[in-house]
Amino acid sequence: NFPPAVWMEQATAFVHECAAGIESGPGLEYLQSRGLSPETARALGIGWNPADRYDRRADWGLSEEQNPDTGRFRKVWFPRGLVLPIRRKSGVTALLIRRADWRVGDDLPKYWQIKGSGNGCYVIGKPGIPVVLVESVLDAVLIWQEARDLVASVAITGATKKPDEGTTAFLRQSPLLLWSLDFDAAGLGAWNWWQEHFPGVKAWPCAAGKD
């Protein structure tokens, strides 16, 4: 499902606004700590949001909501961090931000999905070639950067998440699916589903450890 047209327009503008932040400072430092280059970031629209931002829901084409405890209207929160747009042919359909201020034990997720985002997976690469399935968008981006002529990559963005219709169609075109989700309870639990719905999927060898 795609967000409202107004949301997609605002998302495109936000991605463009954050693009410059990846060229220097903490944005560049974090990008390089993940093995990614500025050239990759520019090609994929990855940017850096330098400070927490709060927008009116109506400005993003979303219905107003009130906090029952305070009576105030809720805002759309854009945390400081690495901006990861999910795109389709129609434009930006989802925004994830890898929060710079996330710490172990945080009540909020490491990857914050901006309110109003669609639920599609992150798909990158050419159709019709082998696909590596991972959880993290940044892992999918690194695969694309290093091996785009050999494989495409799809980030499910969560072990229990299922591929949307468009992603499923992309996966069906692949001659080989390499399943490389986290080697933990959630990942192992999802493996049965993938075997059932995508016969022939291969698990990436992993003797021990989380990933």
Side-chain angles (χ1 to χ4, degrees):
N1 62 319
F2 288 172
V6 173
W7 191 98
M8 294 175 68
E9 291 171 6
Q10 289 278 43
T12 300
F14 177 73
V15 168
H16 180 74
E17 181 181 332
C18 294
I22 211 69
E23 300 293 337
S24 61
L28 178 62
E29 290 172 10
Y30 184 75
L31 188 78
Q32 292 178 332
S33 76
R34 297 301 299 257
L36 301 173
S37 70
E39 292 75 21
T40 293
R42 285 192 290 270
L44 303 180
I46 296 172
W48 182 260
N49 183 33
D52 285 13
R53 166 175 158 176
Y54 300 86
D55 285 7
R56 293 174 60 242
R57 288 176 59 89
D59 291 341
W60 284 72
L62 304 175
S63 59
E64 294 286 12
E65 291 182 358
Q66 277 185 295
N67 185 319
D69 297 327
T70 65
R72 295 178 179 175
F73 286 104
R74 289 194 167 106
K75 304 281 190 177
V76 181
W77 178 42
F78 300 82
R80 185 174 78 93
L82 198 69
V83 178
L84 303 165
I86 294 180
R87 302 175 184 270
R88 293 294 185 267
K89 289 181 180 179
S90 55
V92 179
T93 59
L95 286 172
L96 295 174
I97 297 182
R98 200 294 184 186
R99 294 172 52 215
D101 299 320
W102 181 87
R103 298 293 182 269
V104 175
D106 199 322
D107 292 335
L108 296 175
K110 184 189 303 184
Y111 288 87
W112 181 256
Q113 181 168 294
I114 302 305
K115 297 300 182 185
S117 293
N119 290 319
C121 301
Y122 187 87
V123 178
I124 184 168
K126 298 177 291 187
I129 61 176
V131 172
V132 181
L133 292 158
V134 293
E135 285 190 44
S136 162
V137 171
L138 288 175
D139 290 342
V141 170
L142 183 60
I143 290 168
W144 179 84
Q145 174 183 279
E146 300 299 325
R148 73 187 77 172
D149 294 331
L150 300 175
V151 295
S153 55
V154 169
I156 306 300
T157 70
T160 60
K161 210 172 162 184
K162 306 300 187 290
D164 57 284
E165 184 178 347
T167 304
T168 297
F170 183 85
L171 295 175
R172 297 287 185 209
Q173 297 179 64
S174 173
L176 175 63
L177 300 181
L178 294 171
W179 188 88
S180 189
L181 274 65
D182 284 355
F183 194 74
D184 55 14
L188 292 174
W191 171 238
N192 290 334
W193 186 92
W194 283 94
Q195 284 183 303
E196 179 183 349
H197 291 83
F198 292 88
V201 61
K202 304 293 185 184
W204 198 271
C206 186
K210 182 175 182 294
D211 296 307

